[in-house]
mmCIF file of all heavy atoms in Angstrom:
data_model
loop_
_atom_site.group_PDB
_atom_site.id
_atom_site.type_symbol
_atom_site.label_atom_id
_atom_site.label_comp_id
_atom_site.label_asym_id
_atom_site.label_seq_id
_atom_site.Cartn_x
_atom_site.Cartn_y
_atom_site.Cartn_z
ATOM 1 N N PHE A 382 -6.866 4.515 5.960
ATOM 2 C CA PHE A 382 -6.998 5.694 5.115
ATOM 3 C C PHE A 382 -7.594 6.866 5.916
ATOM 4 O O PHE A 382 -7.162 8.001 5.780
ATOM 5 C CB PHE A 382 -7.894 5.381 3.902
ATOM 6 C CG PHE A 382 -8.290 6.597 3.116
ATOM 7 C CD1 PHE A 382 -7.316 7.430 2.571
ATOM 8 C CD2 PHE A 382 -9.611 6.928 2.920
ATOM 9 C CE1 PHE A 382 -7.670 8.564 1.857
ATOM 10 C CE2 PHE A 382 -9.979 8.056 2.214
ATOM 11 C CZ PHE A 382 -9.007 8.871 1.670
ATOM 12 N N GLY A 383 -8.583 6.563 6.763
ATOM 13 C CA GLY A 383 -9.161 7.596 7.609
ATOM 14 C C GLY A 383 -8.122 8.240 8.506
ATOM 15 O O GLY A 383 -8.094 9.461 8.672
ATOM 16 N N GLU A 384 -7.253 7.424 9.095
ATOM 17 C CA GLU A 384 -6.198 7.952 9.961
ATOM 18 C C GLU A 384 -5.272 8.870 9.184
ATOM 19 O O GLU A 384 -4.840 9.920 9.672
ATOM 20 C CB GLU A 384 -5.409 6.818 10.596
ATOM 21 C CG GLU A 384 -6.118 6.108 11.717
ATOM 22 C CD GLU A 384 -5.160 5.192 12.492
ATOM 23 O OE1 GLU A 384 -4.155 5.706 13.011
ATOM 24 O OE2 GLU A 384 -5.429 3.984 12.532
ATOM 25 N N LEU A 385 -4.933 8.459 7.965
ATOM 26 C CA LEU A 385 -4.028 9.256 7.137
ATOM 27 C C LEU A 385 -4.646 10.606 6.795
ATOM 28 O O LEU A 385 -4.014 11.657 6.917
ATOM 29 C CB LEU A 385 -3.687 8.472 5.880
ATOM 30 C CG LEU A 385 -2.746 9.141 4.860
ATOM 31 C CD1 LEU A 385 -1.441 9.565 5.521
ATOM 32 C CD2 LEU A 385 -2.462 8.194 3.700
ATOM 33 N N LEU A 386 -5.918 10.590 6.379
ATOM 34 C CA LEU A 386 -6.607 11.840 6.046
ATOM 35 C C LEU A 386 -6.715 12.761 7.257
ATOM 36 O O LEU A 386 -6.489 13.979 7.164
ATOM 37 C CB LEU A 386 -8.006 11.540 5.524
ATOM 38 C CG LEU A 386 -8.176 11.228 4.042
ATOM 39 C CD1 LEU A 386 -9.662 11.156 3.712
ATOM 40 C CD2 LEU A 386 -7.489 12.255 3.170
ATOM 41 N N GLN A 387 -7.064 12.181 8.395
ATOM 42 C CA GLN A 387 -7.208 12.995 9.621
ATOM 43 C C GLN A 387 -5.891 13.644 10.006
ATOM 44 O O GLN A 387 -5.840 14.780 10.482
ATOM 45 C CB GLN A 387 -7.755 12.128 10.752
ATOM 46 C CG GLN A 387 -9.206 11.713 10.542
ATOM 47 C CD GLN A 387 -9.590 10.496 11.373
ATOM 48 O OE1 GLN A 387 -8.984 10.211 12.405
ATOM 49 N NE2 GLN A 387 -10.613 9.775 10.926
ATOM 50 N N GLY A 388 -4.786 12.890 9.789
ATOM 51 C CA GLY A 388 -3.473 13.440 10.088
ATOM 52 C C GLY A 388 -3.124 14.608 9.186
ATOM 53 O O GLY A 388 -2.562 15.619 9.640
ATOM 54 N N ILE A 389 -3.472 14.503 7.895
ATOM 55 C CA ILE A 389 -3.225 15.617 6.962
ATOM 56 C C ILE A 389 -4.062 16.827 7.362
ATOM 57 O O ILE A 389 -3.557 17.959 7.413
ATOM 58 C CB ILE A 389 -3.533 15.174 5.515
ATOM 59 C CG1 ILE A 389 -2.568 14.081 5.072
ATOM 60 C CG2 ILE A 389 -3.444 16.381 4.571
ATOM 61 C CD1 ILE A 389 -2.885 13.486 3.714
ATOM 62 N N GLU A 390 -5.343 16.592 7.654
ATOM 63 C CA GLU A 390 -6.244 17.689 8.024
ATOM 64 C C GLU A 390 -5.778 18.369 9.299
ATOM 65 O O GLU A 390 -5.832 19.599 9.432
ATOM 66 C CB GLU A 390 -7.650 17.153 8.187
ATOM 67 C CG GLU A 390 -8.703 18.229 8.422
ATOM 68 C CD GLU A 390 -10.105 17.647 8.525
ATOM 69 O OE1 GLU A 390 -10.238 16.394 8.577
ATOM 70 O OE2 GLU A 390 -11.059 18.432 8.550
ATOM 71 N N ARG A 391 -5.280 17.600 10.253
ATOM 72 C CA ARG A 391 -4.876 18.115 11.562
ATOM 73 C C ARG A 391 -3.512 18.831 11.491
ATOM 74 O O ARG A 391 -3.347 19.932 12.031
ATOM 75 C CB ARG A 391 -4.797 16.981 12.551
ATOM 76 C CG ARG A 391 -4.363 17.410 13.974
ATOM 77 C CD ARG A 391 -4.146 16.188 14.848
ATOM 78 N NE ARG A 391 -3.057 15.348 14.380
ATOM 79 C CZ ARG A 391 -3.195 14.085 13.955
ATOM 80 N NH1 ARG A 391 -4.381 13.513 13.950
ATOM 81 N NH2 ARG A 391 -2.147 13.390 13.536
ATOM 82 N N ASP A 392 -2.542 18.198 10.831
ATOM 83 C CA ASP A 392 -1.158 18.676 10.886
ATOM 84 C C ASP A 392 -0.761 19.561 9.707
ATOM 85 O O ASP A 392 0.249 20.265 9.782
ATOM 86 C CB ASP A 392 -0.202 17.486 10.972
ATOM 87 C CG ASP A 392 -0.457 16.616 12.193
ATOM 88 O OD1 ASP A 392 -0.919 17.161 13.214
ATOM 89 O OD2 ASP A 392 -0.217 15.396 12.119
ATOM 90 N N HIS A 393 -1.504 19.500 8.615
ATOM 91 C CA HIS A 393 -1.123 20.239 7.407
ATOM 92 C C HIS A 393 -2.379 20.921 6.827
ATOM 93 O O HIS A 393 -2.845 20.557 5.746
ATOM 94 C CB HIS A 393 -0.534 19.294 6.358
ATOM 95 C CG HIS A 393 0.600 18.456 6.848
ATOM 96 N ND1 HIS A 393 1.897 18.905 6.901
ATOM 97 C CD2 HIS A 393 0.620 17.169 7.313
ATOM 98 C CE1 HIS A 393 2.689 17.944 7.363
ATOM 99 N NE2 HIS A 393 1.935 16.884 7.611
ATOM 100 N N PRO A 394 -2.917 21.918 7.507
ATOM 101 C CA PRO A 394 -4.174 22.524 7.044
ATOM 102 C C PRO A 394 -4.091 23.110 5.625
ATOM 103 O O PRO A 394 -5.035 22.977 4.858
ATOM 104 C CB PRO A 394 -4.456 23.603 8.094
ATOM 105 C CG PRO A 394 -3.176 23.812 8.833
ATOM 106 C CD PRO A 394 -2.450 22.517 8.785
ATOM 107 N N LYS A 395 -2.971 23.722 5.290
ATOM 108 C CA LYS A 395 -2.830 24.268 3.933
ATOM 109 C C LYS A 395 -2.742 23.145 2.910
ATOM 110 O O LYS A 395 -3.308 23.242 1.806
ATOM 111 C CB LYS A 395 -1.591 25.165 3.839
ATOM 112 C CG LYS A 395 -1.741 26.475 4.621
ATOM 113 C CD LYS A 395 -0.522 27.363 4.429
ATOM 114 C CE LYS A 395 -0.694 28.675 5.164
ATOM 115 N NZ LYS A 395 0.500 29.555 5.010
ATOM 116 N N GLY A 396 -2.020 22.086 3.267
ATOM 117 C CA GLY A 396 -1.939 20.947 2.385
ATOM 118 C C GLY A 396 -3.284 20.263 2.202
ATOM 119 O O GLY A 396 -3.634 19.810 1.116
ATOM 120 N N TRP A 397 -4.054 20.200 3.286
ATOM 121 C CA TRP A 397 -5.399 19.612 3.235
ATOM 122 C C TRP A 397 -6.299 20.418 2.312
ATOM 123 O O TRP A 397 -7.027 19.852 1.485
ATOM 124 C CB TRP A 397 -5.973 19.565 4.641
ATOM 125 C CG TRP A 397 -7.413 19.165 4.710
ATOM 126 C CD1 TRP A 397 -8.484 19.983 4.969
ATOM 127 C CD2 TRP A 397 -7.943 17.855 4.521
ATOM 128 N NE1 TRP A 397 -9.643 19.261 4.955
ATOM 129 C CE2 TRP A 397 -9.348 17.945 4.677
ATOM 130 C CE3 TRP A 397 -7.374 16.622 4.226
ATOM 131 C CZ2 TRP A 397 -10.201 16.848 4.556
ATOM 132 C CZ3 TRP A 397 -8.219 15.518 4.119
ATOM 133 C CH2 TRP A 397 -9.611 15.640 4.277
ATOM 134 N N GLU A 398 -6.239 21.733 2.430
ATOM 135 C CA GLU A 398 -7.058 22.593 1.578
ATOM 136 C C GLU A 398 -6.688 22.397 0.104
ATOM 137 O O GLU A 398 -7.557 22.291 -0.770
ATOM 138 C CB GLU A 398 -6.885 24.048 1.978
ATOM 139 C CG GLU A 398 -7.745 25.017 1.187
ATOM 140 C CD GLU A 398 -7.541 26.462 1.628
ATOM 141 O OE1 GLU A 398 -6.826 26.681 2.618
ATOM 142 O OE2 GLU A 398 -8.123 27.345 0.971
ATOM 143 N N ALA A 399 -5.377 22.338 -0.181
ATOM 144 C CA ALA A 399 -4.930 22.156 -1.546
ATOM 145 C C ALA A 399 -5.336 20.793 -2.090
ATOM 146 O O ALA A 399 -5.737 20.650 -3.265
ATOM 147 C CB ALA A 399 -3.418 22.314 -1.627
#
Side-chain angles (χ1 to χ4, degrees):
F382 169 58
E384 285 192 59
L385 180 55
L386 274 188
Q387 291 160 24
I389 295 174
E390 186 177 10
R391 179 187 65 243
D392 301 330
H393 307 276
K395 291 183 178 179
W397 172 254
E398 182 180 355

